[in-house]
Amino acid sequence: MNQLEQLKQYTTIVADTGDFQSIKAFAPRDATTNPSLILKAVQKPEYQPLLSQTVKEHAQLSTADIIDHLLITFGKEILKIIPGRVSTETDARLSFDTQGSIDKGHALIKLYEAAGIDRERVLIKIASTWEGIRAAEVLQKAGIHCNLTLLFSLPQAIACAEAKVQLISPFVGRIYDWYKKSSGQDYTGADDPGVQSVKQIYNYFRKFGYATEVMGASFRNTSQIVELAGCDLLTISPDLLQKLAESEAPVSRKLNLEEAQQSDLKKIDLDETTFRTMLNDDAMATEKLSEGIRQFSADAVKLEKLVDALR
């Protein structure tokens, strides 16, 4: 078996793309999108008609509402291909707006359900700020499942688990990027700080009985992916899925329940003050969270400009 086939024995594979053809090629169970991936997709010739048609059909609506319809259009097409769930992201500019995130989550689910898509097949992606986590807590109670993204630290993960969110997406590659730049050192295998972060979160969740799923995300190489075999889910870009499919190197389970339960991790009592203090004390997590929100917000603005140019 190739590495991708071996990995599927231990972990649910998720495609990290808005490209339908790539999703078809690798047969993942789930798929994730974000503003940057949708922006990238609609600039490809094969997806421009989808953008044009969506704008034309909803020209009377606001730009923000047209983009919501565009996100749902992509989500619907992806759900025709995969058997599982699609993650659709709220506007990153709502990252510090609890009520705004709640309203956007309801709006997106309403559009999916109007299109005949069961809410069980949709995850609403929200940034792992304190405000975003509070929004996800409310949405979860309303039966809307959430994927908390831009997650770089244990306190973010714990707050998500205690809010009973469905799934979190710790960003392996961006953690790696920060430490590589900061130290001038490259990291491989189990020494990779991004890998270590996800392993710590996975072990904490399993040791203390949290039901929240852990989905490693934002990978830079296949070594990071292989080191997290056994994680609940891994969302992987098409180019790295291709590399895994082309390699027959052995893959073994690295994360498991028994080891997690035997870890020496201590329970952390987390309130808002502790959350903000721990996050602030972690320079990498603080910087990467802020940077990620800025990047996704900038891409949302670019997407708005593409929509406005077609109106």
Side-chain angles (χ1 to χ4, degrees), residues 200-271:
Q200 180 190 42
I201 291 166
Y202 175 89
N203 287 345
Y204 190 95
F205 280 18
R206 297 297 86 89
K207 180 170 183 175
F208 297 111
Y210 291 110
T212 298
E213 300 169 61
V214 180
M215 180 170 73
S218 168
F219 293 103
R220 298 293 179 257
N221 54 62
T222 58
S223 169
Q224 294 171 334
I225 297 167
V226 170
E227 282 297 327
L228 291 173
C231 193
D232 301 329
L233 309 94
L234 298 173
T235 182
I236 307 170
S237 63
D239 61 322
L240 292 178
L241 287 169
Q242 184 64 46
K243 289 180 179 178
L244 290 166
E246 291 172 351
S247 172
E248 293 185 357
V251 176
S252 60
R253 179 185 286 274
K254 298 296 178 76
L255 277 61
N256 63 74
L257 180 61
E258 184 177 343
E259 283 189 21
Q261 291 175 335
Q262 293 174 354
S263 70
D264 59 1
L265 291 166
K266 305 300 182 186
K267 192 81 157 53
I268 297 172
D269 293 323
L270 198 75
D271 57 12

Side-chain angles (χ1 to χ4, degrees), residues 100-132:
S101 296
I102 293 168
D103 293 343
K104 181 63 75 174
H106 278 287
L108 293 171
I109 286 295
K110 185 176 180 181
L111 289 176
Y112 269 116
E113 292 184 331
I117 303 295
D118 192 298
R119 65 174 58 188
E120 293 297 319
R121 298 195 69 197
V122 179
L123 293 170
I124 299 300
K125 284 180 80 173
I126 302 172
S128 300
T129 57
W130 182 260
E131 294 81 4

Side-chain angles (χ1 to χ4, degrees), residues 103-225:
D103 293 343
K104 181 63 75 174
H106 278 287
L108 293 171
I109 286 295
K110 185 176 180 181
L111 289 176
Y112 269 116
E113 292 184 331
I117 303 295
D118 192 298
R119 65 174 58 188
E120 293 297 319
R121 298 195 69 197
V122 179
L123 293 170
I124 299 300
K125 284 180 80 173
I126 302 172
S128 300
T129 57
W130 182 260
E131 294 81 4
I133 296 166
R134 299 282 68 80
E137 185 174 35
V138 173
L139 291 169
Q140 288 283 159
K141 288 177 180 176
I144 297 172
H145 300 307
C146 297
N147 170 355
L148 273 289
T149 188
L150 293 175
L151 194 147
F152 303 97
S153 66
L154 185 59
Q156 288 175 288
I158 294 171
C160 290
E162 292 186 346
K164 298 183 178 179
V165 305
Q166 182 70 32
L167 180 147
I168 61 168
S169 296
F171 275 30
V172 178
R174 296 193 192 194
I175 295 174
Y176 163 84
D177 292 344
W178 190 92
Y179 279 101
K180 182 178 179 181
K181 182 178 179 181
S182 176
S183 69
Q185 175 185 344
D186 202 357
Y187 300 91
T188 57
D191 294 328
D192 188 306
V195 169
Q196 292 175 351
S197 178
V198 176
K199 185 174 182 179
Q200 180 190 42
I201 291 166
Y202 175 89
N203 287 345
Y204 190 95
F205 280 18
R206 297 297 86 89
K207 180 170 183 175
F208 297 111
Y210 291 110
T212 298
E213 300 169 61
V214 180
M215 180 170 73
S218 168
F219 293 103
R220 298 293 179 257
N221 54 62
T222 58
S223 169
Q224 294 171 334
I225 297 167

Side-chain angles (χ1 to χ4, degrees), residues 273-293:
T273 299
T274 307
F275 172 91
R276 293 192 184 280
T277 301
M278 290 181 70
L279 186 59
N280 183 70
D281 286 345
D282 187 333
M284 175 278 297
T286 299
E287 291 173 23
K288 282 298 177 183
L289 174 59
S290 298
E291 178 187 76
I293 292 170

Side-chain angles (χ1 to χ4, degrees), residues 16-26 35-53 70 74 237-239 303 306 310:
D16 194 17
T17 181
D19 184 336
F20 310 146
Q21 298 308 315
S22 295
I23 295 170
K24 287 178 182 176
F26 298 106
S36 302
L37 293 174
I38 296 297
L39 177 66
K40 184 177 179 181
V42 297
Q43 294 180 85
K44 292 183 177 182
E46 60 265 40
Y47 297 115
Q48 285 175 357
L50 204 60
L51 173 62
S52 300
Q53 185 65 27
L70 181 65
F74 267 84
S237 63
D239 61 322
L303 194 55
L306 284 178
L310 292 171

